[in-house]
Amino acid sequence: MTDERSVIGVDGGGSKTEVVWIRRDGQILSTTRTSGSNYQDVGIEGVNELLEGVLSSWLRTANREGPACICLGLAGAGRPDEQRTIAESLLEKGWADWVRVETDARVALAGAHGGKGGIIAIAGTGSIVFGMGQNGNWVRAGGWGPLLGDEAGAYDIAMRALRTVLAAHDGSGPETLLSRTLLAELGLRSWTELVGRVYGGDLDPACPCT
């Protein structure tokens, strides 16, 4: 591979995905931001669809060959079986000569510490603490998704607020200013409308498990 070959980096979280196309000599060819690509939410079909939408446009516009490699840091793809499934699928499509898949926390750690050991605490759509020693060994805590954990993540905070409001509504909890502010923010006329919004899928957690 020559320095003219390009690489693509994908940083995919629960609410957004950032993609950069860069030549091996460091020249940035293009960048874009699109919807979330949490693997547990969109699945392999969603990952393929997202990349196809980006890559087909880029390569057609630039009239270039495909990238030498694609590195993906995806929420919900922190386990070997998931990473292998994603890599094999992308290789089968011939989009790159080489594919590497990591959890988005691993990518964030590399960016924060320049590839060296360190620790990060992420509180985005979900939450996770991820660390790596100088010997390359890593540890993680959290990243279990909205049903199992993700304490202090955005979805967890929002659900705690809604439960507090409903407890006040039922009389089983103290009164709170959230009752008025959240009602207006969600565009509800009364809290009885919340059930349809939540269970009908209108308020989607976007599955932020890592």
Side-chain angles (χ1 to χ4, degrees):
M1 294 182 291
T2 69
D3 284 345
E4 292 300 315
R5 292 300 304 276
S6 57
V7 299
I8 285 179
V10 182
D11 183 4
S15 57
K16 65 180 175 65
T17 301
E18 295 183 313
V19 189
V20 60
W21 185 20
I22 186 170
R23 215 165 61 179
R24 286 167 59 89
D25 62 7
Q27 178 187 354
I28 295 177
L29 301 174
S30 190
T31 63
T32 191
R33 176 181 291 189
T34 183
S35 58
S37 54
N38 184 299
Y39 182 69
Q40 300 301 324
D41 185 30
V42 304
I44 189 61
E45 295 82 6
V47 172
N48 285 335
E49 182 178 349
L50 183 147
L51 284 178
E52 186 167 11
V54 173
L55 295 185
S56 60
S57 174
W58 280 358
L59 297 177
R60 183 173 61 251
T61 300
N63 192 27
R64 292 175 179 267
E65 60 182 324
C69 64
I70 300 176
C71 181
L72 304 97
L74 300 180
R79 288 145 291 274
D81 286 348
E82 298 158 346
Q83 295 168 355
R84 185 163 47 251
T85 296
I86 297 168
E88 290 176 352
S89 177
L90 300 189
L91 287 171
E92 287 176 2
K93 292 183 176 297
W95 284 339
D97 301 329
W98 181 78
V99 176
R100 178 169 178 174
V101 184
E102 298 279 356
T103 172
D104 61 334
R106 176 68 181 84
V107 172
L109 179 71
H113 297 284
K116 299 178 181 179
I119 188 169
I120 56 171
I122 299 175
T125 309
S127 65
I128 187 173
V129 176
F130 192 92
M132 185 175 70
Q134 299 299 334
N135 58 2
N137 293 333
W138 57 265
V139 293
R140 54 174 282 173
W144 296 112
L147 298 180
L148 298 175
D150 278 355
E151 296 83 352
Y155 183 72
D156 176 64
I157 292 173
M159 292 306 297
R160 287 172 185 261
L162 292 177
R163 293 188 185 107
T164 298
V165 166
L166 295 182
H169 178 77
D170 289 341
S172 60
E175 292 297 321
T176 170
L177 289 175
L178 289 172
S179 297
R180 182 173 67 253
T181 56
L182 281 181
L183 195 70
E185 183 67 27
L186 294 174
L188 302 177
R189 290 170 295 182
S190 72
W191 285 111
T192 58
E193 297 178 356
L194 183 63
V195 171
R197 292 285 300 278
V198 172
Y199 294 106
D202 190 21
L203 299 178
D204 186 4
C207 190
C209 39
T210 299

